[in-house]
Amino acid sequence: MSFTLQPGQSAVDFSLPATDGRTYTLGDFADAKGLVVFFTCNHCPYVMGSDEVTRSTAEKFAPHGIRFVGINSNSVATKPDDSFEHMVQRMEEQKFPWVYLHDETQAVAKAYGGLRTPHFFVFDADRKLVYTGRGVDQPRDTGKMTVNDLDNALSELVAGKPISVPLTNPIGCNVKWDGQDEHWMPVEACDLV
């Protein structure tokens, strides 16, 4: 079995605290026509470099009923900047158009197979995975971007078309696993394509 969810598999439920003071489960997004779950964090240069493109993509597809959920699963022991307090502060400053959840136990990152920050998972109305991988081809410097895979997948989803590229390799810092070196990845984790 693959470490990372594969196209056609179902979204995994979660119950995680958000920076807005609420706790969210998958069911809280039941009205969404599509759901983008993405693993992100506070400090990663690939996240910070592409956050504004992710923001514009989220805003573009919001009228189509697409919701975005950011999840920070990084170990605070490895990266203190990824603490919940820093998450709250970042959302207050940036006002991103998504809920920002804290996966302190890393159970959700393991359930989805989050590999890097950022790593996107796009689910259809039935919560079946239709795309996973990178948001864009140059997340650290979107001025050099030539492909927005997330936008392409969402455009096809809202148009009712099959996703032409359902898998790409996420580009970014690896998830910081608790008790491990910051560059460690689970042995079963591998490139998606």
Side-chain angles (χ1 to χ4, degrees), residues 133-178:
R134 67 191 188 186
V136 300
D137 64 340
Q138 296 285 339
R140 194 166 185 157
D141 182 1
T142 53
K144 298 176 181 172
M145 177 178 82
T146 60
V147 181
N148 186 331
D149 294 279
L150 181 61
D151 186 288
N152 292 345
L154 290 171
S155 294
E156 291 172 339
L157 178 63
V158 300
K161 297 177 180 175
I163 309 304
S164 53
V165 182
L167 274 178
T168 60
N169 288 320
I171 301 171
C173 303
N174 57 296
V175 171
K176 307 306 180 201
W177 298 100
D178 203 31

Side-chain angles (χ1 to χ4, degrees), residues 59-108:
E59 289 171 346
K60 174 181 175 180
F61 289 97
H64 298 279
I66 307 295
R67 303 273 304 274
F68 276 61
V69 177
I71 300 177
N72 180 2
S73 301
N74 278 357
S75 167
V76 178
T78 309
K79 288 290 177 188
D81 286 350
D82 280 325
S83 70
F84 187 71
E85 293 73 27
H86 283 102
M87 290 171 60
V88 171
Q89 181 182 346
R90 190 150 195 267
M91 283 300 276
E92 284 173 355
E93 292 169 358
Q94 301 293 331
K95 300 188 173 23
F96 291 123
W98 50 76
V99 296
Y100 193 15
L101 309 181
H102 192 211
D103 176 26
E104 186 176 8
T105 67
Q106 303 187 310
V108 179

